[in-house]
Amino acid sequence: MANTETSLKEALTSIEGATGVALVDYTSGMALGTMGGSKTFDLGVAAAGNTDVVRAKMRTMEHLGLKGDIEDILITLSSQYHLIRLLKGRGGNGLFIYLVLDASRSNLAMARHQLKKIEADLEV
């Protein structure tokens, strides 16, 4: 099992094209940990904003009567991928990993695969 800081560091260093990662509590909108980002890309602000995305999707699923779980949510921009992976299992309820990828340097399928492995090893 890996702690939050170790898991975030692994995501940032092992996932090709990763430029930022955060562990976020979507009940409060607070980032519990961040790595990467830049002066022009505040991961704390992005984490809070993506909390609204997660909440909206959960509300929509409830209104539609959809029973499945959200694995991840993908937002594609012209130069970036934003991947939101909701955590499952012990201690992960109400949390998601938010990963920012440079679209020109990343393989989205591999990033999803690696993020799933990191999630399985994460101890919250």
Side-chain angles (χ1 to χ4, degrees):
M1 291 292 154
N3 67 22
T4 301
E5 184 177 340
T6 302
S7 294
L8 294 178
K9 184 176 182 179
E10 182 180 350
L12 194 59
T13 59
S14 72
I15 299 176
E16 186 71 28
T19 60
V21 63
L23 178 65
V24 185
D25 177 345
Y26 65 77
T27 57
S28 69
M30 296 292 296
L32 305 177
T34 64
M35 282 203 172
S38 67
K39 289 181 181 180
T40 60
F41 191 88
D42 186 327
L43 278 167
V45 172
N50 282 296
T51 294
D52 293 334
V53 172
V54 171
R55 289 178 187 160
K57 186 60 186 172
M58 293 178 120
R59 269 192 317 275
T60 302
M61 288 178 65
E62 184 179 328
H63 292 311
L64 292 171
L66 299 175
K67 300 296 182 201
D69 291 328
I70 299 171
E71 282 189 28
D72 52 40
I73 298 169
L74 172 64
I75 300 167
T76 58
L77 305 177
S78 58
S79 63
Q80 297 177 332
Y81 300 132
H82 293 228
L83 187 58
I84 299 167
R85 179 155 187 94
L86 277 69
L87 299 184
K88 313 257 184 303
R90 43 172 216 293
N93 196 23
L95 302 177
F96 66 87
I97 298 174
Y98 171 59
L99 179 66
V100 181
L101 300 162
D102 179 330
S104 68
R105 298 186 301 120
S106 62
N107 177 320
L108 186 55
M110 284 302 296
R112 289 183 70 222
H113 174 73
Q114 290 173 281
L115 198 55
K116 189 174 184 177
K117 274 182 51 180
I118 291 167
E119 174 197 1
D121 292 339
L122 177 63
E123 185 176 288
V124 182

